[in-house]
Amino acid sequence: MIAPSMLSADFARLADEAAVVAGEPGNGADWLHIDVMDAHFVPNLTLGLPVVESLLKATSVPLDCHLMIEDPDRWAIGYAEAGAYNVTVHVEAARDPVALAADLRAAGAKAGLSIKPGTPLEPHLDTLRHYDTLLVMSVEPGFGGQQFMPEVLDKVRAARRMVDTGHLTLLVEIDGGINADTIEAAAEAGVDCFVAGSAVYGADDPGKAVRALRDKVRAAAPHRGWA
Ligand code: DX5
Ligand code: ZN
């Protein structure tokens, strides 16, 4: 799955920018990745629930909301209630991530848990049993256009093993620095869903960039059943 990050889109034209990557079923964006930043958990400030509510009316592509905010225990539920498909919170910010996942699911969303590059996976494995997606950050959260950190792929491989052996049931998602040069390594490590911001919206033809990234994944990991 490919999830273009709208952080690199033109914020004045979000509906059009969503349409540009929507494509046809099977060749367009699977999810639209929406980066919510509060200038506290991360140094940057982006958009919040009112913009997500408007975007939900403007696109049929499922929204993947990545909340880089403090106090997600209080704020994340609003995104689920609004109709976001997947709502991801940071384990470094959540007070009670197990209760939060239950609340998100009860509101009809998938629950996602994200870990920063320096956050280990092992202490959170029990928590992850309550989640539908694991978002492995491959840059320090806060800004698009940063360089991919290949060392996080060890966590992807470990999560992949846990899923393939039935110890976890979730999608493994990666976010940060994913482009034509880095996506194959991530695919080989076992990623299910690839977030790409600048590699999609920085391209002359964002729709074509999505298709090119998916082709790279299929070539890199045909045994995963995508070819
Ligand atoms: C960074 C965000 C990412 C960002 C990725 O904190 O979480 O989703 O948009 O951008 P690229 O793909 O340019 O690294
Ligand atoms: Zn993100």
Side-chain angles (χ1 to χ4, degrees):
M1 294 167 62
I2 308 291
S5 168
M6 299 205 81
L7 182 62
S8 292
D10 180 349
F11 275 24
R13 301 173 42 254
L14 285 180
D16 294 341
E17 296 278 68
V20 156
V21 297
E24 306 297 324
N27 79 356
D30 297 283
W31 294 350
L32 283 172
H33 184 84
I34 309 298
D35 290 298
V36 175
M37 305 188 192
D38 67 350
H40 289 272
F41 181 72
V42 289
N44 200 2
L45 180 67
T46 54
L47 51 80
L49 184 55
V51 175
V52 167
E53 286 172 334
S54 293
L55 196 52
L56 280 162
K57 289 182 233 160
T59 181
S60 56
V61 181
L63 298 193
D64 176 35
C65 292
H66 176 196
L67 307 187
M68 286 160 275
I69 61 171
E70 289 182 354
D71 205 4
D73 303 70
R74 175 173 174 191
W75 299 111
I77 189 72
Y79 295 84
E81 288 171 348
Y85 182 78
N86 183 53
V87 179
T88 291
V89 299
H90 268 268
V91 73
E92 302 88 357
R95 273 194 311 275
D96 188 347
V98 172
L100 184 46
D103 289 347
L104 293 170
R105 286 172 163 180
K110 305 277 185 208
L113 195 67
S114 183
I115 54 175
K116 297 205 279 186
T119 302
L121 184 64
E122 294 73 37
H124 306 297
L125 288 175
D126 280 342
T127 301
L128 281 167
R129 291 183 208 287
H130 303 267
Y131 278 83
D132 304 294
T133 62
L134 165 66
L135 180 63
V136 178
M137 290 304 301
S138 39
V139 298
E140 285 300 332
F143 300 92
Q146 301 182 75
Q147 212 181 345
F148 181 70
M149 299 169 70
E151 58 270 31
V152 307
L153 293 181
D154 286 340
K155 290 190 281 187
V156 168
R157 286 184 203 99
R160 180 83 262 146
R161 271 196 303 275
M162 298 292 289
V163 173
D164 289 348
T165 55
H167 293 88
L168 287 176
T169 307
L170 46 74
L171 290 178
V172 182
E173 188 175 4
I174 197 161
D175 183 9
I178 293 293
N179 57 40
D181 296 327
T182 58
I183 197 166
E184 285 165 313
E188 283 163 5
V191 168
D192 298 298
C193 182
F194 305 82
V195 175
S198 48
V200 170
Y201 283 106
D204 290 338
D205 182 341
K208 193 171 161 192
V210 169
R211 293 191 292 278
L213 289 173
R214 184 178 284 107
D215 287 347
K216 289 248 175 197
V217 171
R218 286 180 169 148
H223 54 283
R224 302 272 333 272
W226 290 308

